[in-house]
Amino acid sequence: MNKKDGRVNILGIGFNKDSENRMLEKIGKMFKDNKQHYIVTPNPEIVMVAQEDKKLRYILNKADLVIPDGVGIIWASQILYGISGKISKRVAGVDLMEKICCLASRQGWSVFFLGARRGVADKCARELQNLYPGLLVAGTYSGKAEPKYDEEIREKVLDLIGEAKIDFLFVAYGGGQQEKWMMRNLSKLPVKIAMGVGGSFDFISGRIKRAPKWMQEFGLEWFWRLVCQPWRWKRQLALFSFILAVFKAKLHFFSSIPNNQRTCSLR
């Protein structure tokens, strides 16, 4: 565990162990300084991508908040650190996004929805405005995540907001791509805080049905998505790689302890 900032290191990625309410408090404080910030929501699949992608790993670890979005992250923290370094509860990116929009509707913060398929961001924005009356939507746009479209997207965003500024930019280009997009473009846009939200627009808009509450509570959302989207089976194989990598990291840590410092419950 990184004691300097209180993050829990899971295979090279430092995750915040704060509760959802504590994260919202930190986000509130971000609005009071004169800096730009970004938030990431990696799951086990993204952690495994970051094992080989050094640039992505750097971007994730530089984020102001690294949200443990995935029951696998919670499990890994328990295996690697036990109670002392355990992340107590998963914080789903889509849930945190909704809470932020609720807070934004009360505080008068503006939000912008970028990414997903054409029309999905707009529908997501309307759903959230229905849930949280007074939510100020600065604009919506789909666009594409590839670097060659960056300038075009920035120009479109600036055209949509005019002279205004964006307090919160939600970016839904999928894990890996959205983080790199934020790193490339955030400093070139009048945005206070950006957050990568993966498939959140699809869930909120209703394009994809989210798992029932009981499946969420038991950490089975991954299975629900596999049933609803069978084509994801190759991506889900990363979960098994993640499990093996966690056990390997645990064994490496244990083997590094001198024999005379190991404890054993056998008598």
Side-chain angles (χ1 to χ4, degrees):
M1 183 166 60
N2 187 333
K3 296 183 178 180
K4 182 178 179 180
D5 58 13
R7 294 186 180 184
V8 178
N9 188 315
I10 306 295
L11 301 182
I13 307 300
F15 286 85
N16 287 83
K17 56 185 295 186
D18 307 286
S19 66
E20 186 176 70
N21 287 337
R22 178 58 179 154
M23 289 180 184
L24 289 170
E25 289 177 10
K26 288 186 174 183
I27 289 168
K29 290 179 180 179
M30 291 179 193
F31 277 94
K32 298 179 181 180
D33 63 28
N34 295 315
K35 301 176 182 178
Q36 284 189 317
H37 303 273
Y38 71 95
I39 300 168
V40 296
T41 57
N43 57 20
E45 180 184 337
I46 302 306
V47 170
M48 292 312 297
V49 173
Q51 301 305 295
E52 302 295 330
D53 190 333
K54 293 182 180 179
K55 184 175 182 179
L56 176 60
R57 184 162 70 246
Y58 171 82
I59 294 171
L60 293 174
N61 283 319
K62 288 289 289 184
D64 295 275
L65 281 176
V66 183
I67 311 300
D69 190 351
V71 68
I73 303 300
I74 311 305
W75 169 82
S77 75
Q78 295 171 345
I79 294 296
L80 294 172
Y81 300 104
I83 298 299
S84 63
K86 187 175 76 171
I87 304 172
S88 61
K89 189 176 180 180
R90 173 201 179 200
V91 179
V94 61
D95 293 334
L96 185 62
M97 175 182 162
E98 283 202 36
K99 294 287 179 60
I100 291 169
C101 286
C102 177
L103 188 60
S105 69
R106 298 173 182 173
Q107 299 291 340
W109 298 338
S110 63
V111 296
F112 194 106
F113 301 89
L114 177 67
R117 294 186 180 185
R118 186 181 299 274
V120 173
D122 189 57
K123 188 173 182 181
C124 174
R126 291 198 303 271
E127 290 292 330
L128 288 168
Q129 284 181 311
N130 289 334
L131 285 171
Y132 310 113
L135 179 64
L136 179 59
V137 176
T140 68
Y141 187 60
S142 56
K144 296 181 180 180
E146 291 85 348
K148 64 181 179 180
Y149 298 108
D150 284 357
E151 185 175 356
E152 175 187 326
I153 292 174
R154 291 197 305 269
E155 289 178 356
K156 181 63 177 180
V157 170
L158 292 172
D159 182 58
L160 287 169
I161 66 174
E163 296 299 318
K165 293 184 179 180
I166 302 170
D167 290 319
F168 224 104
L169 173 67
F170 297 109
V171 185
Y173 282 139
Q177 295 190 83
Q178 61 199 17
E179 291 79 14
K180 291 178 179 179
W181 190 95
M182 290 189 292
M183 180 61 77
R184 294 194 309 267
N185 295 282
L186 185 56
S187 64
K188 301 174 184 178
L189 289 168
V191 172
K192 183 64 179 176
I193 301 177
M195 176 178 174
V197 296
S200 297
F201 294 3
D202 290 323
F203 292 133
I204 294 172
S205 68
R207 195 184 81 82
I208 296 177
K209 187 176 181 180
R210 196 175 176 190
K213 279 289 184 182
W214 70 268
M215 293 190 79
Q216 296 177 36
E217 292 173 359
F218 280 94
L220 294 172
E221 275 195 281
W222 65 271
F223 181 72
W224 172 265
R225 294 198 70 178
L226 183 60
V227 170
C228 296
Q229 300 171 299
W231 55 267
R232 294 175 60 92
W233 71 270
K234 288 185 178 180
R235 294 175 57 178
Q236 296 292 359
L237 291 177
L239 290 173
F240 297 101
S241 298
F242 178 79
I243 292 170
L244 290 173
V246 169
F247 278 122
K248 183 178 179 180
K250 182 67 174 181
L251 289 172
H252 176 75
F253 172 76
F254 186 74
S255 64
S256 68
I257 302 174
N259 289 334
N260 61 357
Q261 293 183 21
R262 298 180 187 178
T263 59
C264 183
S265 59
L266 299 177
R267 292 289 185 268

